[in-house]
Amino acid sequence: SIGRPIAGTRVYVLDGALQPVPEGVPGELYIGGEGVTRGYLGRAELTAERFVPEVHGGVAGARMYRTGDRVRWKGEGRLEYVNRADTQVKVRGYRIELGEIEAVLRQQEEVRDAAVVVRGEGAEARLVGYVVAKVGEVVEGGALRERLREKLPEYMVPPVVKVLEAMPLTPNGKVDRKALPEVEAGAVASKEYEAPRNKVEGALAGIWAEVLRVPRVGVKDSFFELGGHSLMAMRVVSRVREELGVELPLRALFEATTVEALARRMEESTRSKMTPLVRGPGDVQRPLSFAQQRLWFIDQLEPDSPVYNVPVAVRLIGTLRRDVLEQVLREVSRRHEALRTTFAQEQDHALQIIHQDAELPLEEVDLQSMETAGRQQEASYRVEQEVLKPFDLRHGPLARALLVKLSEQEHMLAITMHHIVSDGWSVGVLVREVSALYAAFAEGRPSPLPELPVQYADYAKWQQQTLQGEVLRREVDHWKQKLSGAPPVLELPTDRPRPAVRGNAGAVQRFVWSRELEQALRRLAQQEGASLYMVLLAGWQALLSRYSGQGDISVGSPIAGRTRAEV
């Protein structure tokens, strides 16, 4: 507790939109009143960031100070300090308050002080905990992490805990996070380290260590206890295929979670004889992948439909150079053959036609002449209309861009692609490449991106060559057997008759679970050797079964499909 506001001070606990939060809910602390100055001398940029208009009280023109501290109201008008706002991080899609983890670490009887940081970026990001033991106490990393699981969800438990003699401090006595040491060998393993005993275990331990970004892995260490997740598991399976020539299903890593167990599983597997995926000759015509065949077929049944449009829209703040943006889109189109591809029918099958010169068109709409209040609504409408325009698969282009100008310093950029040349994973690739290319071209530098080792047309040709004959027959027979007898519809009780033709209308329902329920589900997943997604899917199917009275439930689940290192 940090008590009540002092006399002459107005205190607000606000969310990111500067709206008050309910009692007990953390928010950022803002201070108004007589003690607040007008800003920092000679620091206009910092002043604008920290001193903002007092929107919920005070006299006209008054300012309030943004402290950067996260607090919450408790009973009797008291404030409770939570942590610093700048210690919130995002790891594998989860927003995490590092201060919450540190607080639980400090509650442990053998721990005197603690700090938590994030090492790595993107899918490689992982939590690392640092602790200082009390005098006469010994900290054992594995036991400490087990106790953390009793109070924190699994994604907040650091897979690495390193013991320090003392915390590095800044001159004003705060923890110097930049001076915290990198993780050394032995800091990761929750069990006593056992070295690999043969070539296969050694190779697996090396692959795991590289994918998990840890110094070493013992044969008894659990992949998921070391911070692994499904995306990393996919990378491990791909690396095993490429380096050891063994084809393992993804589920193998969920069923054999240690190096020792997975090595035994590999001994039971046959060596892969898959054709390598390589860059082919620059043919103008290529076969379609199976996914493209499906989308081509659907387009023949329902032409001019926007259902399979893949859009991305971003807000751009700051000065925008259209000439640079056009240069970026030309380079993206040059790099990716898929964005220069159209589709033609030849006798009883379709071909993808790769064009040498095809720019990604950019349309611009200027809304600066409109009243300020209506610009945002009009911009959203224009983007929505752009996203709903159908594509012509025969003539293309199958990707286009729309730039909406709200002001000299604010734009909206919408890029829409057809699913036959893109997917959800590709959207992230596109945004990263546009960002990197714009930053380089705006400064007159060449492209910082390496050339692509293979194109999608190479993958489509490889897939057609690999999945044929006996291999294709086994795959098809497997799914025929799995889907044999599957009910054509799910007999859910509804408030209106089922339409004769399925529509595309839908909605999203959002809700929040309690932390206790979330933690219980994560514990269940760990006990069953499953991911949280697998547990939730099982629960969803059980719910559908209860509502419909059917015991056979079919649920479609989209996946990224990047099962090979080359792609």
Side-chain angles (χ1 to χ4, degrees):
S1 174
I2 55 175
R4 299 187 181 89
I6 62 174
T9 300
R10 293 183 293 275
V11 169
Y12 309 97
V13 182
L14 308 178
D15 62 17
L18 298 184
Q19 295 301 310
V21 299
E23 182 175 319
V25 175
E28 189 167 353
L29 176 64
Y30 290 77
I31 299 177
E34 299 170 3
V36 178
T37 69
R38 300 298 298 176
Y40 294 103
L41 182 62
R43 301 287 300 277
E45 190 173 316
L46 187 58
T47 296
E49 178 187 343
R50 288 293 180 180
F51 292 84
V52 296
E54 191 171 358
V55 293
H56 297 289
V59 299
R63 299 267 166 175
M64 57 183 180
Y65 177 65
R66 180 182 182 182
T67 66
D69 291 325
R70 296 184 74 251
V71 301
R72 55 183 158 222
W73 288 111
K74 303 298 284 184
E76 300 176 349
R78 293 181 176 274
L79 288 167
E80 182 178 81
Y81 176 81
V82 178
N83 62 341
R84 289 287 299 170
D86 52 16
T87 64
Q88 186 183 80
V89 297
K90 194 171 185 179
V91 177
R92 300 199 300 276
Y94 295 105
R95 294 199 177 276
I96 296 173
E97 299 289 353
L98 298 180
E100 289 188 37
I101 307 174
E102 292 170 350
V104 176
L105 280 169
R106 293 190 187 102
Q107 291 171 6
Q108 308 309 308
E109 58 182 28
E110 73 269 39
V111 175
R112 178 165 60 87
D113 200 3
V116 179
V117 299
V118 176
R119 299 292 191 197
E121 298 179 356
E124 309 297 340
R126 50 209 296 277
L127 297 170
V128 177
Y130 297 87
V131 297
V132 177
K134 292 179 180 177
V135 177
E137 297 283 353
V138 176
V139 176
E140 200 283 305
L144 183 62
R145 291 171 60 250
E146 286 302 319
R147 293 202 300 275
L148 292 186
R149 287 193 178 94
E150 298 174 3
K151 294 191 174 183
L152 295 171
E154 182 63 31
Y155 67 86
M156 290 179 69
V157 177
V160 181
V161 176
K162 181 171 177 60
V163 182
L164 304 177
E165 292 185 4
M167 285 289 174
L169 303 177
T170 62
N172 60 6
K174 294 184 178 180
V175 174
D176 187 353
R177 296 177 184 273
K178 293 181 180 179
L180 289 168
E182 293 290 338
V183 177
E184 300 171 358
V188 178
S190 58
K191 303 175 178 65
E192 185 176 344
Y193 175 74
E194 287 190 35
R197 296 157 297 197
N198 54 53
K199 280 187 176 181
V200 174
E201 289 183 350
L204 280 177
I207 292 172
W208 285 25
E210 189 170 337
V211 170
L212 293 166
R213 295 287 182 93
V214 298
R216 68 179 185 182
V217 175
V219 295
K220 301 287 188 182
D221 292 331
S222 166
F223 181 79
F224 297 101
E225 285 185 7
L226 293 179
H229 50 78
S230 56
L231 288 177
M232 288 182 173
M234 183 72 81
R235 289 187 58 195
V236 167
V237 169
S238 179
R239 290 281 300 277
V240 167
R241 179 194 303 116
E242 298 301 320
E243 296 182 21
L244 303 177
V246 176
E247 188 72 30
L248 287 174
L250 182 61
R251 67 174 183 272
L253 199 48
F254 286 88
E255 296 168 352
T257 60
T258 66
V259 166
E260 181 182 51
L262 191 60
R264 281 200 303 268
R265 180 69 177 266
M266 287 173 56
E267 292 173 3
E268 303 165 3
S269 301
T270 58
R271 294 251 159 195
S272 170
K273 297 181 180 179
M274 276 196 172
T275 307
L277 174 52
V278 296
R279 183 79 172 106
D283 299 341
V284 174
Q285 298 183 355
R286 293 287 187 91
L288 275 61
S289 69
F290 292 124
Q292 287 177 323
Q293 288 179 6
R294 292 195 296 272
L295 291 161
W296 169 261
F297 178 76
I298 291 171
D299 186 73
Q300 305 309 296
L301 287 178
E302 299 179 44
D304 301 325
S305 169
V307 171
Y308 287 95
N309 288 8
V310 178
V312 56
V314 293
R315 184 180 299 275
L316 307 174
I317 305 298
T319 303
L320 178 69
R321 290 176 53 187
R322 172 167 177 151
D323 62 323
V324 175
L325 181 59
E326 289 176 330
Q327 183 185 2
V328 167
L329 296 179
R330 282 196 300 271
E331 174 61 12
V332 168
S333 182
R334 183 200 69 79
R335 281 175 55 77
H336 297 278
E337 287 181 354
L339 299 178
R340 295 183 274 113
T341 298
T342 56
F343 296 82
Q345 186 165 353
E346 184 176 280
Q347 297 177 354
D348 61 344
H349 63 280
L351 290 172
Q352 47 181 323
I353 312 299
I354 301 169
H355 302 268
Q356 295 304 310
D357 299 307
E359 293 191 2
L360 200 158
L362 174 64
E363 179 187 352
E364 184 172 2
V365 175
D366 192 338
L367 302 182
Q368 292 183 103
S369 60
M370 289 187 62
E371 292 290 331
T372 304
R375 286 183 199 169
Q376 184 59 57
Q377 184 176 355
E378 179 66 17
S380 299
Y381 172 77
R382 295 293 186 100
V383 169
E384 182 178 347
Q385 293 305 303
E386 168 69 14
V387 167
L388 293 176
K389 288 181 187 175
F391 285 100
D392 182 344
L393 301 192
R394 292 179 180 272
H395 301 101
L398 300 185
R400 58 177 181 258
L402 172 69
L403 183 66
V404 181
K405 189 172 186 177
L406 296 163
S407 69
E408 289 297 331
Q409 296 293 309
E410 185 176 4
H411 297 75
M412 286 182 69
L413 175 64
I415 299 178
T416 310
M417 301 166 285
H418 193 280
H419 194 18
I420 203 167
V421 298
S422 179
D423 65 358
W425 191 281
S426 303
V427 168
V429 175
L430 179 69
V431 171
R432 289 196 301 272
E433 291 198 357
V434 168
S435 299
L437 290 170
Y438 188 92
F441 292 168
E443 297 176 359
R445 293 185 286 110
S447 167
L449 304 176
E451 288 298 310
L452 301 173
V454 293
Q455 295 282 342
Y456 187 80
D458 300 316
Y459 169 78
K461 187 174 182 179
W462 169 86
Q463 187 187 60
Q464 292 288 353
Q465 291 174 341
T466 303
L467 292 178
Q468 59 179 326
E470 179 62 22
V471 176
L472 180 60
R473 189 189 65 77
R474 281 202 311 268
E475 293 284 335
V476 173
D477 287 349
H478 168 84
W479 286 108
K480 282 183 176 179
Q481 185 272 326
K482 284 286 185 184
L483 296 173
S484 175
V489 295
L490 186 66
E491 298 294 348
L492 286 174
T494 59
D495 60 349
R496 67 198 71 187
R498 183 186 296 273
V501 179
R502 190 198 68 183
N504 294 309
V508 174
Q509 179 66 40
R510 301 188 185 278
F511 52 91
V512 178
W513 282 344
S514 69
R515 172 165 291 182
E516 292 73 22
L517 176 57
E518 180 194 6
Q519 291 175 347
L521 286 166
R522 291 188 181 279
R523 284 195 297 270
L524 175 61
Q526 193 169 31
Q527 290 166 9
E528 297 298 324
S531 68
L532 180 61
Y533 177 82
M534 294 159 70
V535 172
L536 298 181
L537 180 58
W540 169 243
Q541 291 172 317
L543 180 70
L544 294 179
S545 177
R546 178 171 295 183
Y547 279 144
S548 65
Q550 296 173 223
D552 198 350
I553 307 294
S554 302
V555 177
S557 181
I559 62 170
R562 271 65 167 182
T563 58
R564 297 192 64 89
E566 300 92 333
V567 296

